[in-house]
Amino acid sequence: MDGILLQILNGLDKGSAYALIALGLTLIFGTLGVVNFAHGALFMLGAFCAVTLSRIISLSYETIDPNRLDFLGNPAKINTPYVYDFFGPNMGASIIDWAVPLSILFAIPMMMLIGIAMERGLIKHFYKRPHADQILVTFGLAIVLQEIIKFYYGANPIPTPAPAALVGTFDFGAMLGLNPGTVLYPYWRLVYFLFSVVLIGGVFAFLQFTTFGMVVRAGMADRETVGLLGINIDKRFTIMFAIAACVAGLAGVMYTPINSPNYHMGMDFLVLSFVVVVVGGMGSLPGAVLAGFVLGILESFASTPAATSIVPGINQIIIYLVAIVILLTRPRGLMGRKGVMEE
Amino acid sequence: MSKFDLSRRGVLKTGAVAGAGLALPTVFTSGASAFTNEPGPGSVTLGFNVPQSGPYADEGADELRAYYLAVEHLNGEGDGGMLNTFSSKVLDGTGILGRKVEYVTGDTQTKSDAARASARSMIEKDGAIMITGGSSSGVAVAVQALCQEAGVIFMAGLTHSNDTTGKDKKANGFRHFFNSYMSGAALAPVLANAYGTDRKAYHLTADYNWGYTTEEAVRNSTEAMGWSTVEAVKTPLAATDFSSYIAPVLNSDADVLVLNHYGGNMVNSLTNAVQFGLRDRMVNDKNFEIIVPLYSRLMAKGAGANVKGIFGSTNWHWSLAQGFTTPDGTAVAPDAASAAFVKSFGEKYGFPPSQAAHTCYVQTILYADAVTRANSFNPCDVAAAMEGFEFDGMGNGKTTYRAEDHQCFKDVLVVRGKENPTSEFDLLEVVEVTPAEQVTYDASIFGGDLGTCNPGA
């Protein structure tokens, strides 16, 4: 029981990342009809927004400490962050400590700008091109983006810890009357799950309850008719692309304390996220979210020693096996709509 | 008939002349070049085959820095680095056998096929007479086999699997870096001393060659000390989130987690293990502990504060240059060779070298030294000069290049993540220098056949 509960929890945070990326992918596909293979790179860019802000906040000036020596035996250079001088050492240390959550404020405008630049600068030229062309150009863009990040930040993972107040584990075992200490779950993963629920809820509410969202949904259903009504649907779709980029970016920002970001992290999620989109149903936003969580949980269970001892390697193929079964039994995915990619 | 006879004679004559004509260039060639890529009188070209892209690109960059430094020192530029401390004194800063050292570089991408392609290109197009480098055992084994076929010497860079000089050893290949067996042999006594002999270990092992040999080595060594192994789980090399693998550890009665991971795998699995509070747990009335058998400073940097207090092993560490005091109070004096290398490298690049950089620098110097002592670039003469070669002054104390498997035997460092680092480089502290005798093993235990040296051509 303890193990099952723990794997469900693990699946939730993994599923959160899948769901957020898949949600953005589906938004872009549903609005612009573009298969965006650069979406994983947007997740990675979001994570590097956190790294960048963390570095900006930690910008320091050097002083020489004659009492300490560096690795060459010279007087050591001591770095003191400017925020210590601006806000005092305690407040300065707290600001640096909370760099990841603060990065959300930095990432939102950055990712919106990146999204608009991507859509206006490159992707709009491929609206009327076959999906194969879109895949090639966006995949190429993803590689370019990750190489740029590698050039400036290196290939090694960069530690980006959670605030000290959110380091530690929550004992679900003790809370539920099970053995204490057997169902421990890191606070930050809990934060990540809750954050993703709020973000997903926010996107759905935006689409459901705002006029802008209503127009976008109408455009997704019948782009031509909305255009004939005199509404500049292209402009709204560009904004939706920026919002999708922002969702992926924020997913990346909050993921950095879970795994140290590196230039390749987007690619690690990209293929799985596409499987999530297909399993959920192309163009279906609830389907993407549902499939994200379901596949995340299944992947967690498949990684247990019990599962791998019965079927060796099941942890590496479970998502694809499920995808095959679902596509055989429900060709449009879990919540796919008729007519999407069927022409 | 007579016509036929004449024709037959004519054919025989023509055949003889043609045969001689065809053989002539070969005779001259083999006389002029008895081995692959024999250098001319002016310069000699070495091939540095390192990951310049992919997940180990930073490690590859550090390896390249070390190679550039070695070339400088061999050509008489810079301060000479470890040439000044090396026990062999045949290198005089005039290149190798009077030829200026030049180099070409290749990108292994940490992929065996790409590494073989770049090594082949350096041998066939650029005339490299020796290939060196690598940050992966799979790549090292693949390139070593290629060098054996091509008839050039391969001086392995960072490769830790037993197989490189075990079942996949080759007569043309040499490894200075230590291996999984040595890590296990060095770590086990320190672990028994720190954590006791009644421990239950849970292994998470990267699902590839290096992971298997490391798990085997650590299991054998720790079980011999009295530990038991509760579970050993293979994790996919492509895994990024290890939470699903760590969760079952919570429900086992293991009190030690051994992470047989390297690179990004190590950074992520260690980060995840610490996140799940494993280090704060009490199991079997003991503190739960985590072990990382192979440490690298570059990887430790990626894991950040999570490495604090965690034991592992390493081939070399820059802090040897400054000397240190082990936890039991033993003062270890600064190592002059390490100090020379750290000074050269640090002044040129602004930060201390990694263990990958160290082994690559040493391998280049050792190759040049062997050529000079053999007075020949012929790979078989060079191999003979290297086999059984005993030396000192290269940062690891007295070292022997064992003839039977071309593996270096030297002291191994057991390190621990530092609790209070003073700089971004000061992440590991040496807790014990395990003497070479303690990590030496019979050359036959891993099987394999060295074969015979291939000079190529």
Side-chain angles (χ1 to χ4, degrees), chain B residues 155 165 173-179 182 315 359 362-363 366 386 388-391 394 396-403 405-412 436 439-441:
Chain B
M155 302 294 283
T165 47
F174 290 84
R175 172 165 65 178
H176 169 263
F177 204 71
F178 72 148
N179 63 21
M182 297 178 186
N315 191 58
T359 201
V362 171
Q363 285 282 71
L366 286 175
M386 210 114 63
F389 179 52
E390 294 181 358
F391 60 94
M394 296 297 267
N396 298 104
K398 287 184 179 168
T399 307
T400 304
Y401 239 129
R402 187 160 70 178
D405 55 2
H406 294 183
Q407 171 67 50
C408 264
F409 286 86
K410 55 195 179 335
D411 299 345
V412 171
V439 299
T440 303
Y441 55 87

Side-chain angles (χ1 to χ4, degrees), chain A residues 2-3 6-7 10 13-14 68 70-72 150 154-159 168-169 181-182 184-186 189 255 257-260 263 268 299-300 303-305 315-316, chain B residues 52-55 57-58 202 233 236 240-241 243-245 247-248 250-251 267-268 271-272 275-277 281 298 301-302 304 318 322 342-343 346-347 350-352 422:
Chain A
D2 304 348
L6 199 48
Q7 292 303 350
N10 277 333
D13 66 60
K14 206 173 287 183
R68 282 171 55 186
D70 69 5
F71 71 98
L72 288 172
K150 193 175 80 176
N156 270 352
I158 301 167
T169 52
T182 52
L184 297 173
Y185 196 64
R189 286 177 186 254
Y255 198 76
I258 292 176
N259 277 330
S260 302
Y263 76 100
D268 297 335
E299 194 186 9
S300 276
S303 303
T304 58
N315 49 341
Q316 299 190 56
Chain B
Q52 297 182 52
S53 58
D58 285 359
Y202 194 111
V233 176
T240 52
D241 184 6
S243 57
S244 319
Y245 299 96
L250 295 168
N251 293 304
V267 170
N268 289 332
T271 302
N272 291 170
Q275 276 170 5
F276 272 79
R281 281 168 68 79
L298 294 174
K301 190 177 172 189
W318 66 268
Q322 299 179 332
V342 171
K343 181 171 177 290
E347 286 181 348
F351 45 84
T422 55

Side-chain angles (χ1 to χ4, degrees), chain B residues 15 121 144 172 236 239 401 453:
Chain B
S121 168
Q144 181 169 257
N172 285 36
Y401 239 129
C453 171

Side-chain angles (χ1 to χ4, degrees), chain B residues 219-240:
Chain B
R219 279 181 75 159
N220 290 344
S221 303
T222 52
E223 286 174 6
M225 310 290 283
W227 288 23
S228 59
T229 302
V230 173
E231 185 88 55
V233 176
K234 305 277 183 288
T235 59
L237 192 56
T240 52

Side-chain angles (χ1 to χ4, degrees), chain A residues 16-282:
Chain A
S16 302
Y18 293 156
L20 286 173
I21 300 174
L23 180 66
L25 273 172
T26 307
L27 272 177
I28 292 172
F29 182 76
T31 50
L32 303 170
V34 171
V35 182
N36 181 22
F37 263 62
H39 208 68
L42 293 171
F43 175 75
M44 179 268 294
L45 287 177
F48 276 87
C49 280
V51 173
T52 306
L53 187 77
S54 182
R55 289 188 176 179
I56 291 171
I57 291 174
S58 304
L59 275 176
S60 306
Y61 60 89
E62 282 182 355
T63 51
I64 303 293
D65 182 351
N67 300 317
R68 282 171 55 186
L69 301 177
D70 69 5
F71 71 98
L72 288 172
N74 303 320
K77 291 172 184 164
I78 306 298
N79 291 316
T80 308
Y82 287 107
V83 287
Y84 283 20
D85 289 355
F86 297 154
F87 301 102
N90 290 337
M91 186 63 182
S94 294
I95 291 172
I96 291 173
D97 186 37
W98 283 81
V100 171
L102 288 173
S103 300
I104 291 173
L105 303 175
F106 176 66
I108 290 172
M110 287 301 294
M111 294 309 300
M112 295 285 276
L113 280 175
I114 290 169
I116 290 168
M118 255 174 83
E119 198 271 338
R120 289 289 91 186
L122 182 70
I123 289 176
K124 76 166 184 180
H125 303 293
F126 287 82
Y127 286 158
K128 293 188 170 64
R129 300 277 283 271
H131 286 311
D133 289 8
Q134 296 171 354
I135 289 170
L136 279 174
V137 75
T138 52
F139 192 70
L141 178 63
I143 292 171
V144 169
L145 289 173
Q146 73 175 30
E147 289 303 313
I148 290 171
I149 290 295
K150 193 175 80 176
F151 180 79
Y152 286 105
Y153 293 88
N156 270 352
I158 301 167
T160 318
L166 296 170
V167 170
T169 52
F170 185 79
D171 193 342
F172 276 98
M175 191 184 83
L176 299 172
L178 302 168
N179 291 332
T182 52
V183 191
L184 297 173
Y185 196 64
Y187 288 129
W188 187 261
R189 286 177 186 254
L190 211 52
V191 168
Y192 191 76
F193 171 65
L194 295 174
F195 176 81
S196 70
V197 169
V198 170
L199 195 54
I200 290 166
V203 171
F204 277 96
F206 178 73
L207 288 174
Q208 204 65 36
F209 303 121
T210 64
T211 311
F212 185 97
M214 189 181 70
V215 173
V216 168
R217 281 188 291 122
M220 285 169 79
D222 190 342
R223 185 186 183 128
E224 261 181 52
T225 307
V226 173
L228 289 172
L229 292 172
I231 296 169
N232 186 350
I233 193 71
D234 286 350
K235 188 178 166 189
R236 283 169 171 78
F237 280 178
T238 300
I239 293 170
M240 282 316 294
F241 189 97
I243 289 172
C246 203
V247 169
L250 292 179
V253 167
M254 295 296 277
Y255 198 76
T256 53
I258 292 176
N259 277 330
S260 302
N262 66 68
Y263 76 100
H264 199 260
M265 65 190 293
M267 286 293 180
D268 297 335
F269 278 90
L270 179 71
V271 176
L272 289 176
S273 300
F274 264 99
V275 176
V276 168
V277 170
V278 172
V279 168
M282 292 296 285

